[in-house]
Amino acid sequence: MQFRHLFTVFFSLASAGLSGQIGGREVYQFLNITPEARVVAMGRLPIAYWEPDVNFAILNPALIHAQLHGSLSLNAVSFPADIFIGSANYAHHFDKAGTFTLGIRSFQYGKFVAANQFGVQTGEFDVSDLVITLGHGREVYENLYAGANLKIINSAYEQYSSFGLATDLGVTYHIPEKLLTWSLLIRNAGFQWDPYTTERGRLPFDLQIGVSNRFRHLPLRWHITADQLHRPDVSFINPANSRRDPITSQLIEENITLANKVFRHLSFGAELSPTKGFNVAIGYNFRMQQELRMNTRRSSAGLTFGFGFRVSKFMIQYSRGVYHVSGAANLFSVTTRFSDFKKKEKAD
């Protein structure tokens, strides 16, 4: 009975998202930006990555479990054009209620010059976004985990502001003896409560499925995630890729193959962890590479990579995400567990 109700909720929300996807009308696109270094290094969408890391649990609430108790992560992103993004994530386990997470993300886009219709400067204004995420997850059956996030969204652009609510719903099936994990995730199902003006926009709904596996005799874990499953075709005809027939001068549009359309749903990642205190990761998002590449220059758009190392009781992560030939994002994360400090106090 629990499974029947669970999947009813999943597919009801998925259907709602399917009917509401109209290009160019989605608001709160910053909900899809991830400021956690290790997550980005793995290709931005490792939704089935079963590790005692609170940052993965913020991405997918079905990865919330008791081993995360006391985990704290501080994250910062340096984007081009002086854009700064910061986040703080924490997990706490209660014996009776289960495990909860709290995440705060702040997006600061800097100061902008204000001017009237005649071009006369009248001052400056700030632009910012804020997302507060409350998550809860628990084991509902043997090896089966379910979780949900509630996102409180606030956005302020000069005199325009907006408030919204969104939820993430996830299910994860983790098989410890096979080191295999499957996840199904609904992201950003919600609504714009208070719009910027008079018209409400749709949120960037997403339906995802992912799998990850760690080799038993090799310290390597890989993952594959398929996103935008409610939209079979996420490609678009880029006019820059069109050409003219040399004989007829007729404009020939870009031909996007079926394989190309399939791969635009996929992101990949792998992480090598020879010890608990060191890891190296690489990821790739095919759709991002297709959408941000340039015909005149080779580009690494869609590629992410990073590494992490332990210093005392702190895990320090760095990653770099390549978006375009003109710039990339550098991400930094520091993660620790309060329980590690308590162990030291007891030992003393």
Side-chain angles (χ1 to χ4, degrees), residues 20 44 73 90 106 132 141 152 184 189 191 212 263 270 315 343:
R44 299 184 177 89
S73 178
Y90 177 70
S106 176
I132 299 176
Y141 196 72
I152 303 171
L184 178 65
F191 55 93
S212 75
F263 272 91
M315 193 68 187
K343 290 179 181 178

Side-chain angles (χ1 to χ4, degrees), residues 75-284:
N75 313 278
V77 185
S78 176
F79 267 106
D82 296 327
I83 297 174
F84 177 80
I85 303 173
S87 73
N89 303 318
Y90 177 70
H92 194 92
H93 177 73
F94 299 91
D95 292 336
K96 294 184 178 180
T99 308
F100 291 82
T101 58
L102 171 64
I104 302 175
R105 290 182 181 178
S106 176
F107 302 79
Q108 302 294 330
Y109 306 107
K111 291 186 177 294
F112 292 78
V113 175
N116 58 24
Q117 65 271 31
F118 304 106
V120 179
Q121 296 184 8
T122 58
E124 294 182 336
F125 63 92
D126 296 316
V127 176
S128 63
D129 296 310
L130 178 68
V131 183
I132 299 176
T133 302
L134 302 173
H136 175 61
R138 62 168 57 239
E139 187 175 12
V140 296
Y141 196 72
E142 185 178 6
N143 298 334
L144 182 65
Y145 296 79
N149 282 335
L150 173 64
K151 297 177 180 178
I152 303 171
I153 309 161
N154 180 259
S155 182
Y157 301 161
E158 204 252 344
Q159 62 177 326
Y160 303 97
S161 62
S162 178
F163 173 78
L165 294 173
T167 185
D168 302 331
L169 299 175
V171 172
T172 291
Y173 187 60
H174 176 61
I175 311 174
E177 58 272 17
K178 294 185 178 181
L179 304 177
L180 180 67
T181 305
W182 288 88
S183 286
L184 178 65
L185 178 64
I186 290 175
R187 294 188 67 191
N188 304 326
F191 55 93
Q192 189 179 25
W193 183 277
D194 182 19
Y196 295 103
T197 54
T198 57
E199 182 179 358
R200 286 182 170 84
R202 296 179 175 87
L203 273 61
F205 177 89
D206 200 354
L207 177 62
Q208 304 172 352
I209 187 171
V211 59
S212 75
N213 179 240
R214 184 182 180 93
F215 294 102
R216 188 169 299 278
H217 302 292
L218 182 67
L220 178 69
R221 179 184 287 275
W222 57 267
H223 89 90
I224 300 176
T225 298
D227 68 336
Q228 296 294 319
L229 295 178
H230 57 292
R231 299 172 59 188
D233 187 1
V234 293
S235 64
F236 70 97
I237 303 298
N238 188 349
N241 296 330
S242 301
R243 60 185 180 86
R244 290 194 176 275
D245 187 283
I247 299 177
T248 63
S249 296
Q250 183 179 1
L251 186 65
I252 303 176
E253 293 184 339
E254 177 186 14
N255 180 31
I256 301 178
T257 65
L258 177 61
N260 185 294
K261 293 180 180 180
V262 171
F263 272 91
R264 288 185 186 231
H265 288 275
L266 303 178
S267 61
F268 312 86
E271 182 182 72
L272 180 67
S273 305
T275 68
K276 291 184 178 180
F278 180 75
N279 61 69
V280 180
I282 188 170
Y284 183 69

